[in-house]
Amino acid sequence: NGTLEALEVKNHCPFVPRDWGSRNKKNRKRHDNYQDKESVDDDTRDNKKVFRIRELPIRPTVPPMYVPQLMMEMLCLGPSCRSVIMVRQTATIGAVILRLHRDDEWMEEMLYWLRRFMTNFVHEGTPPPANFFWDNDDDSIHGGGERYRRFVTRTKEIGEAVELVDYVSHSGVQRVMSEGKRPVSLFLD
């Protein structure tokens, strides 16, 4: 149909350090579908494993940290690119397919803050302070205040207002299988 869309695929890492969170099995069920899993043979080994598998539900949202990247992809493709498809996939749950629509007003504001960052810090060779732009309401080099806080809030809203295209179950995602047609362990040790 002539539609131009960017495509971004994110594979979310299922591994976390073994000592993150509770080791108490009765506390493993947290919120929504959150679960922690050890590798199958965990009890038979000598507890030298450094990582464990953490499963989190895939929510039909774009995390705010990815919104600038997706908007920049649309910007690079030109004004006829009005949306981007994002596939968020996990090693244990499946995938969610989302569509984020272009927001030209937000893009203008993104470019404003990018220029400010480049001018104030990169070109000056000055490391930015903690919470640069966020805490300062004045017009100084670090000023941003309410305007910047509105931009950050709008970024979060954009990520939450995406269009859900589809869910793909874990069984619907092609995975590596062993010679015996069994799933391969996520742990290679």
Short mmCIF file of all heavy atoms in Angstrom, two decimals, residues 12-18 20-21 28 30-31 33-39 51-57 90-93 186-187:
data_model
loop_
_atom_site.label_atom_id
_atom_site.label_comp_id
_atom_site.label_asym_id
_atom_site.label_seq_id
_atom_site.Cartn_x
_atom_site.Cartn_y
_atom_site.Cartn_z
N HIS A 12 14.96 -8.59 24.64
CA HIS A 12 15.22 -8.26 26.03
C HIS A 12 15.97 -9.41 26.71
O HIS A 12 15.57 -10.57 26.62
CB HIS A 12 13.91 -7.97 26.76
CG HIS A 12 13.19 -6.78 26.20
ND1 HIS A 12 13.61 -5.49 26.42
CD2 HIS A 12 12.11 -6.69 25.39
CE1 HIS A 12 12.80 -4.66 25.79
NE2 HIS A 12 11.89 -5.36 25.16
N CYS A 13 17.03 -9.07 27.38
CA CYS A 13 17.88 -10.06 28.04
C CYS A 13 17.16 -10.66 29.25
O CYS A 13 16.64 -9.93 30.09
CB CYS A 13 19.18 -9.39 28.49
SG CYS A 13 20.29 -10.51 29.35
N PRO A 14 17.13 -11.99 29.37
CA PRO A 14 16.45 -12.61 30.50
C PRO A 14 17.36 -12.80 31.71
O PRO A 14 16.89 -13.22 32.76
CB PRO A 14 16.05 -13.98 29.93
CG PRO A 14 17.17 -14.31 29.00
CD PRO A 14 17.56 -12.98 28.37
N PHE A 15 18.64 -12.51 31.59
CA PHE A 15 19.59 -12.79 32.66
C PHE A 15 19.76 -11.62 33.61
O PHE A 15 19.86 -10.48 33.18
CB PHE A 15 20.95 -13.16 32.07
CG PHE A 15 20.89 -14.31 31.11
CD1 PHE A 15 21.07 -14.11 29.75
CD2 PHE A 15 20.63 -15.60 31.56
CE1 PHE A 15 21.01 -15.16 28.87
CE2 PHE A 15 20.56 -16.65 30.67
CZ PHE A 15 20.75 -16.44 29.33
N VAL A 16 19.79 -11.94 34.89
CA VAL A 16 20.11 -10.96 35.92
C VAL A 16 21.11 -11.60 36.87
O VAL A 16 21.18 -12.83 36.97
CB VAL A 16 18.86 -10.50 36.70
CG1 VAL A 16 17.89 -9.75 35.80
CG2 VAL A 16 18.18 -11.65 37.40
N PRO A 17 21.90 -10.79 37.57
CA PRO A 17 22.81 -11.38 38.55
C PRO A 17 22.05 -12.22 39.57
O PRO A 17 20.94 -11.86 39.98
CB PRO A 17 23.46 -10.16 39.21
CG PRO A 17 23.39 -9.11 38.15
CD PRO A 17 22.08 -9.35 37.45
N ARG A 18 22.63 -13.31 39.93
CA ARG A 18 22.00 -14.27 40.83
C ARG A 18 21.55 -13.63 42.14
O ARG A 18 20.53 -13.99 42.69
CB ARG A 18 22.98 -15.39 41.11
CG ARG A 18 22.47 -16.44 42.05
CD ARG A 18 23.58 -17.49 42.25
NE ARG A 18 23.00 -18.67 42.82
CZ ARG A 18 22.36 -19.60 42.14
NH1 ARG A 18 22.23 -19.49 40.85
NH2 ARG A 18 21.84 -20.64 42.75
N TRP A 20 20.43 -10.60 42.70
CA TRP A 20 19.39 -9.56 42.62
C TRP A 20 18.10 -10.11 43.18
O TRP A 20 17.66 -11.20 42.82
CB TRP A 20 19.15 -9.15 41.18
CG TRP A 20 20.13 -8.16 40.65
CD1 TRP A 20 21.34 -7.83 41.16
CD2 TRP A 20 19.97 -7.38 39.47
NE1 TRP A 20 21.95 -6.91 40.38
CE2 TRP A 20 21.13 -6.60 39.32
CE3 TRP A 20 18.98 -7.27 38.52
CZ2 TRP A 20 21.31 -5.73 38.28
CZ3 TRP A 20 19.15 -6.39 37.47
CH2 TRP A 20 20.31 -5.63 37.36
N GLY A 21 17.46 -9.36 44.02
CA GLY A 21 16.15 -9.74 44.53
C GLY A 21 16.22 -10.86 45.55
O GLY A 21 17.28 -11.29 45.99
N ARG A 28 9.17 -15.40 45.19
CA ARG A 28 9.52 -15.27 43.78
C ARG A 28 8.40 -14.68 42.96
O ARG A 28 8.62 -13.96 42.01
CB ARG A 28 9.91 -16.63 43.18
CG ARG A 28 11.19 -17.12 43.73
CD ARG A 28 12.26 -17.08 42.66
NE ARG A 28 13.51 -17.43 43.25
CZ ARG A 28 14.02 -18.65 43.26
NH1 ARG A 28 13.39 -19.62 42.66
NH2 ARG A 28 15.15 -18.88 43.84
N ARG A 30 6.02 -12.01 42.18
CA ARG A 30 6.03 -10.62 42.62
C ARG A 30 4.74 -9.92 42.21
O ARG A 30 3.80 -9.85 42.97
CB ARG A 30 7.21 -9.87 42.02
CG ARG A 30 8.54 -10.49 42.35
CD ARG A 30 8.94 -10.12 43.78
NE ARG A 30 10.10 -10.88 44.15
CZ ARG A 30 11.33 -10.46 44.06
NH1 ARG A 30 11.58 -9.26 43.61
NH2 ARG A 30 12.34 -11.23 44.41
N HIS A 31 4.70 -9.41 41.01
CA HIS A 31 3.53 -8.66 40.53
C HIS A 31 3.26 -9.12 39.11
O HIS A 31 4.13 -9.61 38.42
CB HIS A 31 3.77 -7.16 40.59
CG HIS A 31 4.97 -6.71 39.81
ND1 HIS A 31 4.94 -6.55 38.45
CD2 HIS A 31 6.23 -6.45 40.20
CE1 HIS A 31 6.13 -6.18 38.03
NE2 HIS A 31 6.93 -6.12 39.07
N ASN A 33 2.89 -11.07 36.08
CA ASN A 33 3.40 -12.41 35.78
C ASN A 33 4.88 -12.55 36.07
O ASN A 33 5.55 -13.41 35.54
CB ASN A 33 3.17 -12.73 34.30
CG ASN A 33 1.70 -12.80 33.98
OD1 ASN A 33 0.91 -13.22 34.81
ND2 ASN A 33 1.33 -12.35 32.80
N TYR A 34 5.41 -11.71 36.95
CA TYR A 34 6.85 -11.71 37.25
C TYR A 34 7.22 -13.04 37.88
O TYR A 34 6.56 -13.53 38.79
CB TYR A 34 7.15 -10.57 38.22
CG TYR A 34 8.57 -10.56 38.72
CD1 TYR A 34 9.51 -9.74 38.11
CD2 TYR A 34 8.97 -11.35 39.77
CE1 TYR A 34 10.81 -9.71 38.55
CE2 TYR A 34 10.26 -11.33 40.22
CZ TYR A 34 11.18 -10.51 39.62
OH TYR A 34 12.47 -10.48 40.05
N GLN A 35 8.27 -13.66 37.38
CA GLN A 35 8.79 -14.88 37.97
C GLN A 35 10.28 -14.93 37.77
O GLN A 35 10.81 -14.42 36.80
CB GLN A 35 8.20 -16.12 37.30
CG GLN A 35 6.80 -16.45 37.74
CD GLN A 35 6.40 -17.78 37.16
OE1 GLN A 35 6.43 -17.97 35.96
NE2 GLN A 35 6.05 -18.70 38.03
N ASP A 36 10.96 -15.57 38.70
CA ASP A 36 12.37 -15.85 38.55
C ASP A 36 12.50 -17.35 38.35
O ASP A 36 11.80 -18.13 38.96
CB ASP A 36 13.16 -15.49 39.80
CG ASP A 36 13.30 -13.99 39.98
OD1 ASP A 36 13.22 -13.29 38.97
OD2 ASP A 36 13.48 -13.56 41.12
N LYS A 37 13.42 -17.76 37.48
CA LYS A 37 13.66 -19.18 37.26
C LYS A 37 15.15 -19.44 37.32
O LYS A 37 15.94 -18.66 36.81
CB LYS A 37 13.17 -19.62 35.88
CG LYS A 37 11.68 -19.66 35.74
CD LYS A 37 11.32 -20.25 34.42
CE LYS A 37 9.82 -20.42 34.30
NZ LYS A 37 9.46 -21.02 33.04
N GLU A 38 15.52 -20.49 37.96
CA GLU A 38 16.90 -20.95 37.93
C GLU A 38 17.01 -21.91 36.76
O GLU A 38 16.01 -22.41 36.26
CB GLU A 38 17.26 -21.68 39.23
CG GLU A 38 17.00 -20.87 40.49
CD GLU A 38 17.95 -19.68 40.61
OE1 GLU A 38 19.03 -19.70 40.00
OE2 GLU A 38 17.59 -18.73 41.31
N SER A 39 18.22 -22.19 36.31
CA SER A 39 18.35 -23.20 35.28
C SER A 39 17.92 -24.55 35.86
O SER A 39 17.95 -24.76 37.07
CB SER A 39 19.79 -23.27 34.76
OG SER A 39 20.65 -23.65 35.79
N PHE A 51 24.47 -15.96 37.22
CA PHE A 51 23.22 -15.40 36.72
C PHE A 51 22.06 -16.35 36.90
O PHE A 51 22.24 -17.56 37.05
CB PHE A 51 23.34 -15.06 35.23
CG PHE A 51 24.35 -14.00 34.95
CD1 PHE A 51 25.63 -14.33 34.53
CD2 PHE A 51 24.03 -12.67 35.12
CE1 PHE A 51 26.57 -13.35 34.28
CE2 PHE A 51 24.96 -11.68 34.87
CZ PHE A 51 26.24 -12.02 34.46
N ARG A 52 20.87 -15.78 36.87
CA ARG A 52 19.63 -16.54 36.84
C ARG A 52 18.72 -15.92 35.80
O ARG A 52 19.00 -14.82 35.31
CB ARG A 52 18.97 -16.57 38.22
CG ARG A 52 18.56 -15.22 38.73
CD ARG A 52 18.00 -15.33 40.16
NE ARG A 52 17.91 -14.04 40.78
CZ ARG A 52 16.90 -13.19 40.63
NH1 ARG A 52 15.86 -13.52 39.88
NH2 ARG A 52 16.89 -12.02 41.21
N ILE A 53 17.66 -16.61 35.46
CA ILE A 53 16.71 -16.11 34.47
C ILE A 53 15.57 -15.41 35.20
O ILE A 53 15.01 -15.95 36.15
CB ILE A 53 16.16 -17.26 33.59
CG1 ILE A 53 17.31 -17.87 32.80
CG2 ILE A 53 15.06 -16.75 32.68
CD1 ILE A 53 16.91 -19.12 32.04
N ARG A 54 15.24 -14.22 34.74
CA ARG A 54 14.12 -13.47 35.30
C ARG A 54 13.11 -13.27 34.18
O ARG A 54 13.46 -12.75 33.11
CB ARG A 54 14.58 -12.12 35.83
CG ARG A 54 13.42 -11.28 36.37
CD ARG A 54 13.89 -9.96 36.87
NE ARG A 54 14.40 -9.17 35.75
CZ ARG A 54 14.79 -7.91 35.86
NH1 ARG A 54 14.76 -7.32 37.01
NH2 ARG A 54 15.22 -7.26 34.80
N GLU A 55 11.90 -13.63 34.42
CA GLU A 55 10.84 -13.43 33.43
C GLU A 55 9.94 -12.29 33.90
O GLU A 55 9.44 -12.31 35.02
CB GLU A 55 10.00 -14.69 33.28
CG GLU A 55 10.75 -15.84 32.67
CD GLU A 55 9.87 -17.06 32.51
OE1 GLU A 55 9.28 -17.50 33.51
OE2 GLU A 55 9.78 -17.56 31.39
N LEU A 56 9.78 -11.33 33.05
CA LEU A 56 8.85 -10.23 33.31
C LEU A 56 7.79 -10.24 32.22
O LEU A 56 8.08 -10.62 31.09
CB LEU A 56 9.60 -8.89 33.30
CG LEU A 56 10.63 -8.68 34.39
CD1 LEU A 56 11.41 -7.40 34.13
CD2 LEU A 56 9.96 -8.62 35.75
N PRO A 57 6.59 -9.83 32.53
CA PRO A 57 5.56 -9.78 31.48
C PRO A 57 5.95 -8.75 30.42
O PRO A 57 6.61 -7.76 30.72
CB PRO A 57 4.30 -9.34 32.24
CG PRO A 57 4.80 -8.65 33.45
CD PRO A 57 6.10 -9.30 33.81
N THR A 90 11.22 -11.58 24.05
CA THR A 90 11.98 -12.14 25.17
C THR A 90 12.37 -13.56 24.84
O THR A 90 11.80 -14.19 23.95
CB THR A 90 11.17 -12.16 26.48
OG1 THR A 90 10.17 -13.17 26.40
CG2 THR A 90 10.53 -10.81 26.77
N ALA A 91 13.31 -14.09 25.59
CA ALA A 91 13.76 -15.46 25.38
C ALA A 91 12.81 -16.47 26.00
O ALA A 91 12.89 -17.66 25.70
CB ALA A 91 15.16 -15.64 25.98
N THR A 92 11.89 -16.02 26.84
CA THR A 92 11.07 -16.96 27.60
C THR A 92 9.57 -16.75 27.48
O THR A 92 8.80 -17.65 27.79
CB THR A 92 11.43 -16.87 29.09
OG1 THR A 92 11.24 -15.52 29.52
CG2 THR A 92 12.87 -17.28 29.34
N ILE A 93 9.13 -15.58 27.06
CA ILE A 93 7.70 -15.26 27.08
C ILE A 93 7.08 -15.22 25.68
O ILE A 93 5.98 -15.67 25.48
CB ILE A 93 7.45 -13.89 27.76
CG1 ILE A 93 8.05 -13.85 29.15
CG2 ILE A 93 5.99 -13.54 27.77
CD1 ILE A 93 7.26 -14.56 30.20
N LEU A 186 19.10 -21.87 27.92
CA LEU A 186 19.61 -20.52 27.79
C LEU A 186 21.00 -20.38 28.40
O LEU A 186 21.73 -19.47 28.08
CB LEU A 186 18.65 -19.53 28.44
CG LEU A 186 17.26 -19.43 27.82
CD1 LEU A 186 16.39 -18.49 28.63
CD2 LEU A 186 17.36 -18.96 26.38
N PHE A 187 21.34 -21.30 29.29
CA PHE A 187 22.66 -21.31 29.90
C PHE A 187 23.57 -22.23 29.09
O PHE A 187 23.20 -23.36 28.81
CB PHE A 187 22.60 -21.80 31.36
CG PHE A 187 21.93 -20.82 32.27
CD1 PHE A 187 20.59 -20.95 32.58
CD2 PHE A 187 22.64 -19.76 32.81
CE1 PHE A 187 19.97 -20.05 33.43
CE2 PHE A 187 22.02 -18.85 33.65
CZ PHE A 187 20.68 -18.99 33.96
#
